Every structure is written in C-alpha cells, then in structure tokens.
Amino acid sequence: MKQSKLLIPTMREIPNDAEAKNLQLLLRAGFIRQVSGGVYAYLPLATRVLKKMYAIIEEEFEKIGSVEIKMPTLLPSSLLENTSEVGYDDKAYNLKNRTGKEFVLGSAYEGLISELIGDEISSYKRLPLTLFQIATKYRNDKRSRFGLLRSHEFILSDAYSFHATEESLNEMYRAYQKAFEHIFERLGVKVKGLLGDSQIDEQTDAFEYMALSESGDKIGAFSTGSNYASDLQAATSAFVSKKSHEPNKEIEEVTFAEKENLEEASQALSIPLQKTIKAQLYLADDTPILVLVRADQKINELKIKKHLEAAQLIAADETQSQAYFQTPLSYLGPVDVPDECKIYADLQVQDLANALTGANKEDTYLKNVNPDKDFPVDQYADLRLVQEGDTSPDNLGTLELKKGVEVGRMIKVGTYFSERLKTAVLDENGQHVPVQMGYYELGISRLLATIVEQNSDEEGINWPAEIAPFDLHIVQTNMEDEEQTALTNSVEEMMLEAGYQVLVDDRQERSGVKFADADLIGCPVRITVGNKANEGAVSIKFKQTQAKIEVKKEELVSTLAILLNSEG
C-alpha cells in the first residue's frame, strides 16, 4: 500500500496536553486524533492494528467454544435496574428519544444477556453456552486520564458463559484463563495475574490482569517471596502481633479547640499515629457499626462488607453521626458507644496500649485508651488496606505495592443475576435450578495503549509482529531516481508474493523525514531503497533490535525469512 494514499498525519512535536506516553506515541505516529477529552478517532494505521487484535481474540475464544454476538449500543434505562448494584448506572450516558423514553449508551450487559438466556433457554441440555462481543462502550467519568488507558469511549471485549452447575462454570473459567494467556502472548504484552475485587458480590471470586505502568490507576500487592499477587482492595497480609507491654494508664480527656482531627491532636501531643485509634461510623444494611483502625492506616470497606456479609455499606455523614453519637465525625471514638452500635476493630488495634482516640465530644480526645479494658470489641478482623512491607499472607516474603493498568478481568458471577432475574433451567431431575454465570472482559483500547507503552523507544513504537499495521515498510529515498523506483516496485511485488503486508513510502519528502516517520510508525522491518539501487542492493533495519544488514534483491526473501524467525 502506498503511503501517499493513506491518512498518516505524523507529528514532530509532542502536543502540550498529551501527558500519557501512549497518547504521545499514537498521536505523533498518526494512529489516532483526539476529538475531545477522552474521545478519539482511530485513523487507518490504528484500525489495521485493531483488526488484527480482534482476529486474535476471536480465534482464541472460538477455540474454547465461545460464539460471537452483537448487542445494541442504545439500551433502555430500565435494563440497568438489575445491574445498579454493580456500579455502572452512575457512570452511564443518559438520553431520551423524542417521545421521552429514557435510554443509556451501553456499558454493562450482564443483566441484558442474562435476561436473554432466561427467555431462550429452559433446559440444562442446552448448556454450557458461552458468548462474546467486541464493541465500543461508554463511561461517563468526571474526567478522562492517561490517553486510551481511561477514556469516555473505549473498545471492550465482554464474554459471558452460562452453566447448569458450578463445576461446569469452574471448567470454563479455567478455559478462559488459558485463552487470555494465549491472547496476551500473541499481542506481545506483559501482564500479571492477580486476585481481584468482583465489584458484584464480596463472596464472588474475581481474577484480574494488570500491566505494570506508572500511568496506571490501579495498585497491586505482590509478594517478594512467592507468587502471591492481589489487587490492593482484595489484598490481605499475615497478622504479626506486636503487643505493647506498657502498663495501662488511666484515661485522660484532652481538649483542643483548634485541632480539627485526630492527626492534628496526635501531633500536638507528640503521640505517633501508630498509637492512635481512628473510628469510622458506617451503616451496614441500615445498622450502625463503628469500625476501628490505627490512624496511620486506611479502612478497607470491601473487607468490612465481606466480613459482615452485608449487601450495602455506607459511610455515615455528619447528620447520621449527630443522630447516633451527638458529635461530629472527627471526634468519634470507641468509649461509651451507644448500645445499638457494634464495634469491629482491625487486628492491629488489639496490640495497642494507652492509645489516643476521639471522645465522642466536640474538640475533645481521650488519652490512655486500652482495647477491651476501656471499650468492648464485638469482633477483631482484618479490616484495613495492606501497606508496603506487610508480611505476605502465605508468610513468604513481604508485600510490594506497584501501580498498573487493569487490561482484563474475569468473575465467577454464579447465580447473582439469575436469582434476581429468575433465570433458571430444568436439571436432569426436572428441578428448576438458577443458571451459573461467568464474566470475562478484555479492555482492547487499554491493551492497545499498553502494547504501545511496553513496546517503544525514543524513536517511536516497536510493534509486535502479529499486530503491526504492516510487516514491512519500504522507504525510497529519492522519488526522482528511476532506478530506485524500478527497484522499489520490484521489491514490493516480491514481498507481496511472499505473503508480507507492505507499506511503501512514495511521498515527495526528504529521506530524513521518511526515516523519522518510519521510526515513529514502528513496523517491524524497514527496507531502504537508496544509493545502491543501481547494484540491486537494499538495506534492512529491524526496528526492535536496531540491527541493519545490506542484501541483494534476489536474497531478500530468504534473508528475511531466516532473520525474522531468529528475531521471533
């Protein structure tokens, strides 16, 4: 294909508003253009890459029996009623038609596809069944960030499997894990698998795939001594007791009119945060609970919901704090708590002695508070976010926290939707059983951005061979040279016959501009037709390794076959 016939608007300079590395590279190489914040147009080169990515996903999914479907983008708002607990409805784009009926732009299909299965399948004999689609989805975030890594409009592959038994679901779950691994390998992207947060039900298994990146909006916890890896929200650590042996002192009230929180009070009293107790009021299924952690640590609400098996957990506001404690949130503490409010404390709280905490009285704190002596704890449990250096839950090494991008996830949804939608089939005994469901997601536009960030250098992108927009980029240095033109045409014909996809730079530009653009675009191989065209010789450059070699035209096909196999 002639480069003069394609829309490849390369850029010499990085746009001022392009902070993310993937956005800088894709803009400069002419793959995309920003239409508005978080919305991008995919130009010809990006479209070619995406088609190859789609083909890989389709091929690997078809190997495990997954069948492609196409769901509508415009969805009635009523369909979100059964998925609101998943957290999608607050990020939907809402619109109305001319009759006033409300719609949303599609982002979540679990409820819709579960309903479809319930309407069409009534017997276990038609299960298992697994379906997938590749579609543009929409997320109404307050702001987009990091280029294609987080945008308002994005491309996603979402797959769903349906089963009569949990055993069948587990088998398909493992099959999708292998399919994902094959896809990542073929795409040339490095990812880490880790335990995840299902965002559906705290008892539900989830597995995530993260690509490490400083531009990432996720944090993973990784053990230094084992294969343990988890999303920060789902991560746990081994409890290592460090019980204080200080003799208990008598409680003492301290008043600070100008200190508005526990941290400021601890600083004024020269008490380390590790020796303070932060109290947070929650409503767990409308029941008030007080959660205690050390003030230098953060509460993990996912762990609280999972521990209590609560359907809903809401952090109390100032009005609710006044209703239950008659005090602002900043001064809550565990001493003299109302009878209807149970106390749940993180494991590390039990090790404290003579701690500082709120006094349930405005501008007032309590010194020398001791757990179990000065206040009862209904239950101790792991209720905090893990921290860097915590002991790994398997006691092998410590935890490291690393930023990354979530590029895939899978969830054993189980009967969550089928029970709500009354989706059931008859089993072999003629009994109605709820359908088991699995969900499998790949962020394709995120993967595109991640591949670019992981496969690039100062010159531009280095595309993995299987998804490169073209296999070979032929650059003719002088368009006025008839010998060069004849050799370029001959080489192009040879390469096409050999099965390569070829891009030919036939533009009337200086050779330096052509080379710079070729480096930005990043095809695996550049063939330069230059000063030795009269000798029938061309120069080959391999983008990934920067290796160069000069060969005769007659040796080109065999040389490439050998060297590309070696590079691969």
Side-chain angles (χ1 to χ4, degrees):
M1 188 171 290
K2 304 299 185 185
Q3 194 163 336
S4 62
K5 304 299 182 184
L6 283 175
L7 177 61
I8 311 177
T10 56
M11 304 169 68
R12 298 274 76 82
E13 302 294 332
I14 299 173
N16 292 331
D17 57 348
E19 297 181 9
K21 183 179 178 181
N22 71 88
L23 186 55
Q24 294 173 0
L25 289 163
L26 289 167
L27 286 172
R28 290 191 63 210
F31 281 74
I32 65 173
R33 280 296 179 265
Q34 183 166 305
V35 177
S36 65
V39 180
Y40 301 93
Y42 294 89
L43 303 185
L45 292 180
T47 301
R48 291 181 66 89
V49 174
L50 286 170
K51 284 183 177 180
K52 293 183 178 184
M53 294 175 68
Y54 299 162
I56 290 171
I57 293 169
E58 290 164 5
E59 183 179 328
E60 294 298 336
F61 280 1
E62 287 173 2
K63 287 179 182 177
I64 61 174
S66 192
V67 181
E68 187 169 9
I69 59 172
K70 178 65 177 175
M71 302 301 287
T73 297
L74 201 61
L75 304 178
S77 295
S78 58
L79 289 175
L80 285 184
E81 293 175 1
N82 293 310
T83 58
S84 60
E85 294 175 69
V86 187
Y88 289 103
D89 56 338
D90 62 336
K91 294 182 179 178
Y93 280 94
N94 299 280
L95 59 155
K96 295 181 181 180
N97 66 7
R98 62 184 61 190
T99 67
K101 187 174 181 179
E102 294 184 347
F103 291 84
V104 296
L105 293 179
S107 61
Y109 289 82
E110 293 93 331
L112 176 60
I113 292 182
S114 293
E115 202 165 41
L116 176 67
I117 294 299
D119 291 341
E120 303 299 330
I121 292 181
S122 58
S123 170
Y124 77 97
K125 294 180 180 179
R126 296 183 62 186
L127 298 178
L129 175 68
T130 182
L131 310 168
F132 78 95
Q133 67 170 340
I134 296 174
T136 299
K137 306 292 182 67
Y138 304 88
R139 181 193 294 111
N140 191 6
D141 279 345
K142 292 181 179 178
R143 66 186 184 96
S144 62
R145 294 176 294 171
F146 310 128
L148 298 184
L149 292 177
R150 193 167 189 88
S151 53
H152 295 312
E153 184 178 284
F154 55 97
I155 305 170
L156 191 78
S157 166
D158 47 323
Y160 309 82
S161 65
F162 301 92
H163 311 264
T165 66
E166 190 174 347
E167 290 75 15
S168 176
L169 169 59
N170 291 338
E171 183 178 347
M172 183 59 71
Y173 197 79
R174 290 190 292 270
Y176 266 103
Q177 285 182 326
K178 290 185 178 179
F180 274 32
E181 290 169 5
H182 293 160
I183 289 168
F184 294 137
E185 182 178 355
R186 293 177 65 181
L187 293 179
V189 62
K190 300 179 182 66
V191 302
K192 291 182 177 291
L194 57 163
L195 303 174
D197 165 19
S198 73
Q199 299 182 3
I200 291 178
D201 182 303
E202 280 61 46
Q203 316 307 317
T204 300
D205 288 341
F207 197 76
E208 298 177 358
Y209 293 91
M210 175 188 284
L212 297 182
S213 170
E214 285 304 311
S215 301
D217 56 356
K218 297 275 285 188
I219 297 178
F222 302 89
S223 173
T224 60
S226 70
N227 291 326
Y228 176 80
S230 175
D231 170 77
L232 179 62
Q233 296 294 325
T236 60
S237 59
F239 172 60
V240 179
S241 180
K242 297 179 181 178
K243 183 73 174 176
S244 173
H245 297 293
E246 288 183 38
N248 291 343
K249 300 177 182 178
E250 292 301 315
I251 290 181
E252 178 184 341
E253 273 195 9
V254 182
T255 301
F256 288 112
E258 76 282 5
K259 306 302 180 187
E260 297 182 355
N261 56 53
L262 191 60
E263 183 174 356
E264 291 181 359
S266 68
Q267 289 175 350
L269 294 167
S270 298
I271 296 175
L273 276 179
Q274 295 92 327
K275 202 176 176 180
T276 62
I277 300 173
K278 177 171 62 179
Q280 174 68 55
L281 179 63
Y282 287 94
L283 296 180
D285 295 335
D286 297 324
T287 300
I289 64 168
L290 198 67
V291 177
L292 310 180
V293 296
R294 280 183 5 201
D296 63 315
Q297 298 175 339
K298 293 181 179 180
I299 292 173
N300 187 322
E301 295 182 356
L302 175 69
K303 289 181 178 178
I304 298 170
K305 284 186 71 176
K306 190 168 186 176
H307 180 74
L308 299 179
E309 298 185 6
Q312 192 176 52
L313 184 74
I314 300 174
D317 57 24
E318 291 291 353
T319 301
Q320 291 160 331
S321 180
Q322 289 288 349
Y324 289 105
F325 283 80
Q326 292 78 52
T327 188
L329 290 169
S330 298
Y331 304 100
L332 291 180
V335 179
D336 296 329
V337 169
D339 292 339
E340 69 269 28
C341 185
K342 289 189 173 183
I343 298 177
Y344 297 90
D346 181 68
L347 292 169
Q348 297 196 14
V349 170
Q350 64 189 315
D351 284 347
L352 297 179
N354 303 317
L356 177 71
T357 189
N360 295 324
K361 187 188 304 182
E362 193 164 358
D363 297 331
T364 307
Y365 302 90
L366 296 177
K367 287 176 59 179
N368 304 327
V369 171
N370 290 280
D372 300 317
K373 171 183 174 291
D374 297 317
F375 60 88
V377 174
D378 290 277
Q379 284 185 354
Y380 287 102
D382 177 14
L383 303 178
R384 67 183 183 92
L385 287 173
V386 299
Q387 294 178 316
E388 185 95 17
D390 283 350
T391 302
S392 178
D394 52 16
N395 284 298
L396 299 174
T398 57
L399 296 181
E400 293 180 332
L401 303 186
K402 299 179 181 180
K403 293 179 67 175
V405 179
E406 182 188 304
V407 294
R409 66 162 46 219
M410 52 183 63
I411 305 168
K412 291 183 184 178
V413 181
T415 60
Y416 181 89
F417 286 108
S418 59
E419 289 176 354
R420 286 157 177 76
L421 297 169
K422 305 297 187 288
T423 304
V425 294
L426 290 174
D427 65 12
E428 61 269 29
N429 300 316
Q431 302 294 316
H432 282 95
V433 294
V435 173
Q436 299 276 345
M437 177 179 169
Y439 174 70
Y440 318 90
E441 171 186 294
L442 283 171
I444 296 176
S445 47
R446 280 191 163 205
L447 278 167
L448 176 62
T450 303
I451 292 165
V452 167
E453 291 201 358
Q454 289 187 355
N455 297 274
S456 61
D457 54 31
E458 293 180 356
E459 294 180 339
I461 305 169
N462 300 327
W463 287 106
E466 197 164 353
I467 59 169
F470 292 91
D471 302 318
L472 310 174
H473 196 165
I474 301 176
V475 176
Q476 181 179 340
T477 60
N478 183 358
M479 297 304 299
E480 306 301 326
D481 188 315
E482 293 183 0
E483 289 184 324
Q484 286 191 23
T485 299
L487 182 57
T488 297
N489 292 337
S490 178
V491 168
E492 179 186 11
E493 184 178 347
M494 287 174 55
M495 294 299 99
L496 289 172
E497 288 180 358
Y500 293 105
Q501 295 177 351
V502 182
L503 175 64
V504 179
D505 192 342
D506 61 334
R507 299 173 299 159
Q508 294 285 354
E509 291 281 3
R510 300 189 315 274
S511 59
V513 172
K514 292 187 173 188
F515 292 149
D517 285 351
D519 287 333
L520 283 172
I521 292 168
C523 296
V525 176
R526 186 182 79 201
I527 299 175
T528 301
V529 179
N531 296 332
K532 293 189 176 181
N534 60 337
E535 302 174 16
V538 298
S539 173
I540 304 173
K541 176 185 177 182
F542 295 92
K543 184 67 164 63
Q544 185 72 41
T545 63
Q546 299 290 306
K548 295 181 180 179
I549 186 174
E550 187 177 288
V551 298
K552 294 285 189 179
K553 180 189 76 170
E554 294 77 12
E555 303 167 345
L556 188 54
V557 173
S558 60
T559 300
L560 279 177
I562 295 170
L563 294 180
L564 286 176
N565 182 63
S566 174
E567 289 236 334

